[in-house]
Amino acid sequence: MKKTKSWLAMVAVLMVVVLAACGEKSQEDVLNDVEEALENTESYKSKATMVLETGQEPQTYDVEVWQKDNAYYKVDLKNAKNEQSQIILKNDDGVFVLTPALNKTFRFQSDWPKTSSQAYLYESLLKDISLDADVMFSQDENHYVFKTATTYQNKNLNSQEIRLNKKDLAPVSVKIMDADNNVLVDLTFTEFERNPELSNEDFNTEKTMDGAQMSEPTMATPEEEEEISIRYPMFIPDGVDGEPKLETVETGERTAYVQQYSGDKPFTLIQEKSTIVPATTAPLNLVKGEPVDLGFTIGIQSADRIMWSHEGIDYSLISESLSEEEMADVARSVYATTEK
């Protein structure tokens, strides 16, 4: 009888151990795993599809990221519709924004990407999870799900839902929402490789530009059109007259379309056709500023202006009165509206 009881007790203990092993991890355990993954990921390659819902119609981008030692980055953002890309590159020489189809390169003295959240960077997602004291956690059969606060440059991107694979904490998807929980950015990872062999040379600026130019078409600029479609910002800061003064300025063979907004915080928006820089005279512009995420493209922001190119048009937004955040909001809204 005693042997039977001992045997039953042993079975009961084994069942408890087995059930515990098969049970779900606690939030604390998973967060420890996230921090460990952050420490042990020395490099990675990833591919993802990103859908932006910030304009009049959804825009889809293919995103490819290479990262090494948290010091070298290559982020290729390719418009799925026209197959033209912008590349954010970080190496020993600085931070660069490349537009291969126009043969344009801008160089920054910047600590990007440490200044804000980045949905397509794996380590940025893990840091957002680890640093948010109020992170919301759940899990299903295959995924850990986290809802966190964000530090995106676009303040309309209020919160995010990050989904990681239970097996290896690889990124699965990111949904970024506004204050009303409307999804503005929907990013789905299609490939992820942890700790691949990458060399510093893989992040060389000239090599990256040459490779990108071989793999994509030259930008179709509206050079043969008599005039371009003038676009207007949808967002106008308080204290600014919403009806601009319009002016056409001829400079040599180039035509600039100038909108001047008056009021307490005046600003000027300039549009002109993009020009392709000849390969033999490609300039390297040193910019005192930061790359700024406009959603539909990457802009170049300095103290009093933002410059960007989109669909064959160069834009310059200039103001000594608007804050950098207000300027970015105005620039983002230029894409979100049609011509008047």
Side-chain angles (χ1 to χ4, degrees):
M1 189 70 175
K2 287 183 179 180
K3 288 185 178 181
T4 302
K5 288 183 178 180
S6 298
W7 182 81
L8 290 174
M10 185 179 296
V11 170
V13 170
L14 288 173
M15 288 182 65
V16 169
V17 171
V18 171
L19 289 172
C22 296
E24 295 181 335
K25 285 188 175 183
S26 68
Q27 178 174 335
E28 183 179 358
D29 290 337
V30 175
L31 290 177
N32 287 335
D33 290 344
V34 167
E35 292 184 4
E36 186 175 333
L38 185 59
E39 293 176 2
N40 295 335
T41 303
E42 298 178 356
S43 64
Y44 65 85
K45 292 182 179 181
S46 67
K47 290 184 179 181
T49 300
M50 181 170 65
V51 180
L52 303 179
E53 299 282 358
T54 54
Q56 290 183 314
E57 58 184 35
Q59 295 289 309
T60 302
Y61 292 83
D62 296 323
V63 186
E64 183 172 2
V65 177
W66 291 11
Q67 190 262 67
K68 178 179 181 290
D69 298 335
N70 288 316
Y72 299 89
Y73 292 84
K74 181 164 62 176
V75 179
D76 189 334
L77 300 163
K78 181 172 293 184
N79 187 301
K81 184 177 180 181
N82 59 30
E83 295 187 343
Q84 291 168 347
S85 67
Q86 275 191 306
I87 298 171
I88 308 174
L89 191 70
K90 185 172 185 178
N91 55 33
D92 291 332
D93 297 320
V95 177
F96 300 81
V97 172
L98 314 181
T99 306
L102 295 176
N103 197 35
K104 288 185 177 179
T105 301
F106 291 91
R107 179 165 66 96
F108 300 84
Q109 293 177 328
S110 169
D111 60 355
W112 180 94
K114 297 180 181 179
T115 51
S116 62
S117 300
Q118 308 289 337
Y120 36 73
L121 297 185
Y122 179 56
E123 71 281 7
S124 178
L125 298 176
L126 297 187
K127 287 178 182 177
D128 284 347
I129 293 169
S130 298
L131 295 177
D132 188 350
D134 299 317
V135 60
M136 297 177 63
F137 171 77
S138 62
Q139 55 185 307
D140 57 29
E141 184 177 353
N142 298 312
H143 308 113
Y144 297 124
V145 183
F146 307 86
K147 188 169 183 180
T148 79
T150 70
T151 58
Y152 290 101
Q153 291 173 320
N154 184 351
K155 300 306 179 184
N156 290 326
L157 304 179
N158 186 264
S159 63
Q160 61 188 353
E161 180 190 275
I162 302 168
R163 194 173 293 263
L164 303 179
N165 193 306
K166 270 189 172 182
K167 185 181 298 184
D168 55 4
L169 296 184
V172 176
S173 66
V174 184
K175 296 181 186 295
I176 311 176
M177 286 81 72
D178 62 15
D180 297 321
N181 276 329
N182 298 309
V183 177
L184 301 184
V185 180
D186 195 345
L187 188 144
T188 302
F189 287 87
T190 55
E191 296 181 23
F192 182 77
E193 180 183 359
R194 194 191 307 272
N195 295 330
E197 290 292 332
L198 291 172
S199 69
N200 295 358
E201 186 65 18
D202 291 323
F203 301 87
N204 177 273
T205 308
E206 184 176 351
K207 178 181 176 181
T208 300
M209 176 67 93
D210 290 344
Q213 289 177 328
M214 292 177 62
S215 63
E216 71 174 61
T218 301
M219 182 172 288
T221 60
E223 302 242 354
E224 298 181 0
E225 298 179 9
E226 292 184 3
E227 59 182 36
I228 66 176
S229 296
I230 301 174
R231 303 187 74 85
Y232 297 81
M234 179 177 288
F235 171 73
I236 303 295
D238 292 339
V240 178
D241 185 353
E243 290 298 325
K245 175 184 176 183
L246 301 178
E247 185 178 0
T248 302
V249 178
E250 303 285 346
T251 306
E253 297 181 355
R254 294 178 65 79
T255 302
Y257 301 87
V258 181
Q259 303 171 37
Q260 293 181 329
Y261 292 80
S262 60
D264 296 335
K265 297 180 178 181
F267 65 87
T268 300
L269 178 63
I270 303 172
Q271 299 171 234
E272 55 186 334
K273 298 171 186 176
S274 298
T275 56
I276 300 172
V277 178
T280 56
T281 58
L284 187 64
N285 302 306
L286 177 60
V287 179
K288 292 182 179 179
E290 294 282 338
V292 57
D293 185 358
L294 301 180
F296 55 89
T297 192
I298 302 298
I300 292 89
Q301 184 166 30
S302 59
D304 62 354
R305 73 176 57 205
I306 296 179
M307 301 177 291
W308 71 96
S309 298
H310 186 61
E311 296 184 344
I313 306 296
D314 289 341
Y315 296 83
S316 293
L317 175 65
I318 305 167
S319 177
E320 295 182 352
S321 303
L322 295 176
S323 68
E324 290 187 356
E325 185 176 332
E326 287 174 324
M327 290 185 69
D329 287 340
V330 171
R332 292 184 185 103
S333 75
V334 172
Y335 171 74
T337 186
T338 57
E339 61 176 318
K340 291 187 177 180

